Amino acid sequence: MLSLLSLRQLPFSEHPKVFKKLMIFMNGTTILIYTFVRVLVSDFSFRMIDEVVTVFKITATGSVLAILFYLVFTFIEFLDTAEGKNKMLQLIRHHRNRLLLFILLTLGFASCQAQTLHGVKKDFGTGLVASYTNIEPERVLLVMNDEVLGHTDIPLGETFMLVNENVKGFVQVDNKISVGCSLLISDEKGRAVLKDADLFKGHDTFHPQDARFLKCTISTGKPMDWEKTYTVRVVFWDKNGTGKIVNNLKIRIIDIP
């Protein structure tokens, strides 16, 4: 790394140290970014398998970037130590700084393009959190009686909608998209109160413009009870691709005001 920045050569025995520092730096950076995002949504507990898969993916991304930058470093070292009068090699060495910049920019752009789209959106009024992969909502919100909610107190017997607005990124087949939607409502002890593996089953094909607003209608009622808190988990997924949006929300059931 020092050789790359100061344009002085390093002995080969120092290369493992350079590679180790690159791995630590790149993985440390990706972990810090993940930790920052996770703190923003710390009031929700995601499934352990989702957490493990996410951490694995971001560390794998950091490792791949570290390897790519190390290869660039090794290539520059090779140019510094190469001997001979090969005109092509001399030309590359003469323009190596420009070449290095071009390679780094290309690697950076390629890595960004190759990244799987990940992110988190949160409605701070209700605490509704959407973690997404490869399909992205512009915002998430709750709607009840045609009004956008700023709270999560739901009267027993009422129906509300969980909405992902302006969703983009679906894979189209014959100018149509196919969407799945699962619903899981759990009580304070984690027991399932209501569970449906695919609410859209049998009518899951839409025109792209019809699915810009992904909506899940949620009804409250028995066995729910007043003054109890329930966790609502709604997952939308792209049946033609790998896109997924995982919505998590806590609601409190109240008596009709």
Side-chain angles (χ1 to χ4, degrees):
M1 179 67 75
L2 291 175
S3 175
L4 186 61
L5 297 176
S6 63
L7 304 183
R8 66 180 180 81
Q9 299 173 10
L10 284 178
F12 184 76
S13 60
E14 295 293 319
H15 278 232
K17 295 180 180 179
V18 173
F19 181 71
K20 181 180 179 180
K21 289 179 179 179
L22 280 170
M23 290 290 286
I24 292 174
F25 175 77
M26 297 306 299
N27 279 293
T29 300
T30 54
I31 290 294
L32 281 175
I33 294 173
Y34 170 74
T35 302
F36 174 75
V37 173
R38 193 63 183 85
V39 167
L40 292 178
V41 293
S42 58
D43 50 341
F44 274 96
S45 58
F46 295 95
R47 293 187 305 172
M48 181 59 69
I49 184 63
D50 292 336
E51 297 275 13
V52 171
V53 170
T54 300
V55 171
F56 174 77
K57 287 181 178 179
I58 63 175
T59 53
T61 299
S63 298
V64 169
L65 289 175
I67 292 171
L68 291 175
F69 282 115
Y70 174 73
L71 291 176
V72 173
F73 165 78
T74 305
F75 177 66
I76 296 301
E77 288 285 286
F78 166 75
L79 292 180
D80 281 342
T81 57
E83 297 180 355
K85 298 183 179 180
N86 185 289
K87 292 183 178 180
M88 180 61 70
L89 184 58
Q90 290 178 353
L91 181 64
I92 293 175
R93 291 178 63 183
H94 180 70
H95 295 286
R96 72 168 195 168
N97 290 341
R98 296 177 182 176
L99 180 62
L100 173 61
L101 179 61
F102 172 77
I103 292 175
L104 291 177
L105 290 175
T106 300
L107 287 178
F109 178 77
S111 63
C112 290
Q113 291 296 103
Q115 289 302 306
T116 301
L117 176 66
H118 290 287
V120 175
K121 293 291 176 71
K122 182 174 182 177
D123 178 7
F124 288 95
T126 61
L128 171 60
V129 174
S131 58
Y132 57 86
T133 304
N134 288 337
I135 53 175
E136 179 181 3
E138 183 177 311
R139 69 167 181 157
V140 292
L141 62 150
L142 298 181
V143 177
M144 186 170 65
N145 298 325
D146 296 324
E147 294 184 2
V148 176
L149 296 181
H151 60 83
T152 57
D153 293 339
I154 310 296
L156 187 66
E158 281 283 359
T159 297
F160 67 96
M161 286 192 300
L162 186 154
V163 182
N164 289 262
E165 188 175 75
N166 290 331
V167 180
K168 299 178 181 178
F170 283 104
V171 176
Q172 297 186 27
V173 176
D174 297 328
N175 295 320
K176 292 185 178 181
I177 63 174
S178 184
V179 186
C181 175
S182 67
L183 170 64
L184 174 64
I185 301 178
S186 306
D187 63 15
E188 295 170 342
K189 295 183 179 180
R191 297 173 299 195
V193 174
L194 177 63
K195 184 175 182 180
D196 196 311
D198 190 357
L199 295 168
F200 293 173
K201 187 176 181 180
H203 49 91
D204 54 7
T205 302
F206 308 91
H207 291 288
Q209 61 271 21
D210 295 333
R212 288 176 55 213
F213 297 87
L214 293 182
K215 304 175 183 178
C216 178
T217 301
I218 302 166
S219 299
T220 63
K222 294 299 181 181
M224 294 181 177
D225 207 351
W226 295 322
E227 299 304 325
K228 298 293 184 180
T229 299
Y230 297 89
T231 299
V232 179
R233 178 183 175 89
V234 178
V235 180
F236 296 98
W237 71 92
D238 183 355
K239 293 186 175 181
N240 295 327
T242 59
K244 181 171 68 172
I245 302 174
V246 180
N247 298 270
N248 284 284
L249 168 74
K250 291 184 184 296
I251 61 173
R252 184 170 70 100
I253 299 300
I254 62 174
D255 195 358
I256 298 176

